[in-house]
Amino acid sequence: MVLELYLDLLSQPCRAVYIFAKKNNIPFMMKPVEMLKGSGGAGGRRSPVAPLFSCPPIFSRLPPPSPETGARSSRSPLPVSVGQVVIPLFIGHQVSPEKLHEAMEELNHTIQKLEDKFLQEKPFLIGPEISLADLVAIVELMQPFGASCDILEGHPKLQEWRKRVELTLGKELFMEAHNRILNPQELKSIVIDPPLKAQMKPLLLKMLK
């Protein structure tokens, strides 16, 4: 039986799964979904794990981390804001400059911490070789590029780290996975699924207060 992957490459975790499977030559059948349009695949069945969408979840088991790397690689994912592109699709207007500034300030703080506490002088986040930590981090950090926001500007160490990650994963594969997120015109033209928009709009407006 061929592994079926229901993936929306606008999603950071989906891009990580896609790159991991391709890089490791894991045979799979790609089942594209468009979560924002309400396309969840699997005959439209809703997942008990993620009931808001219909995309079947994927569970993976990873070896336990070593004592040396466990504390570093098990931290929370990076907070990334795409308020300039995605949120306006739900709420019908642009996010205020003040809120975008707050989000960027928080993001810059997180990026500096990533550089100072995690990368330090190493070639990759937890050592001399690439790991899942690098893959998860890079797909998160690429998200704001969809809003033409180079969040690594002024961080030469992280810029060099990004180049190493891309080269190790393969430039062609990396760009293939990020093609949609790096096309802001496509993002702006997405028509949100009406029930999803109705459910998310009040939550986003409350978050932006």
Side-chain angles (χ1 to χ4, degrees):
M1 179 181 292
V2 178
L3 176 66
E4 294 183 348
L5 296 181
Y6 291 81
L7 302 175
D8 183 341
L9 296 183
L10 292 181
S11 157
Q12 302 97 307
C14 285
R15 292 198 300 274
V17 169
Y18 181 82
I19 292 172
F20 182 86
K22 282 252 184 176
K23 183 64 179 177
N24 289 280
N25 297 313
I26 299 173
F28 68 92
M29 182 181 294
M30 177 74 168
K31 297 285 189 178
V33 297
E34 296 187 68
M35 306 283 273
L36 295 179
K37 294 183 180 180
S39 167
R45 295 193 301 270
R46 294 192 176 273
S47 163
V49 177
L52 181 58
F53 304 114
S54 304
C55 183
I58 296 174
F59 297 97
S60 62
R61 296 189 176 211
L62 303 176
S66 66
E68 294 80 12
T69 63
R72 290 196 298 271
S73 62
S74 62
R75 302 300 178 105
S76 300
L78 296 172
V80 174
S81 170
V82 287
Q84 288 174 291
V85 178
V86 177
I87 291 180
L89 295 176
F90 283 93
I91 64 176
H93 59 79
Q94 294 296 318
V95 176
S96 70
E98 293 79 13
K99 286 296 181 181
L100 287 176
H101 179 73
E102 289 176 12
M104 288 306 303
E105 286 291 313
E106 180 180 351
L107 182 55
N108 286 331
H109 176 73
T110 301
I111 290 172
Q112 191 63 54
K113 185 179 294 186
L114 178 71
E115 182 177 306
D116 295 342
K117 303 294 185 182
F118 292 81
L119 184 60
Q120 299 175 342
E121 302 300 325
K122 302 186 297 297
F124 297 102
L125 290 180
I126 61 174
E129 297 182 356
I130 196 169
S131 70
L132 283 176
D134 298 281
L135 178 55
V136 170
I138 195 65
V139 296
E140 286 281 359
L141 290 173
M142 289 301 295
Q143 202 76 358
F145 281 82
S148 302
C149 179
D150 184 356
I151 60 173
L152 298 184
E153 184 178 0
H155 297 274
K157 285 185 181 180
L158 287 174
Q159 289 175 330
E160 290 301 314
W161 163 78
R162 175 191 167 179
K163 291 178 183 178
R164 285 192 294 272
V165 172
E166 285 189 31
L167 287 174
T168 304
L169 294 174
K171 183 77 173 181
E172 184 176 348
L173 171 59
F174 188 83
M175 295 310 296
E176 178 185 327
H178 288 91
N179 181 57
R180 292 191 68 202
I181 198 65
L182 295 177
N183 186 348
Q185 293 307 314
E186 179 185 351
L187 296 179
K188 292 177 182 178
S189 66
I190 292 175
V191 178
I192 304 295
D193 176 53
L196 174 60
K197 185 174 183 178
Q199 186 168 2
M200 292 300 297
K201 182 176 180 178
L203 298 176
L204 292 172
L205 289 173
K206 183 178 181 180
M207 180 186 72
L208 292 172
K209 285 184 178 180

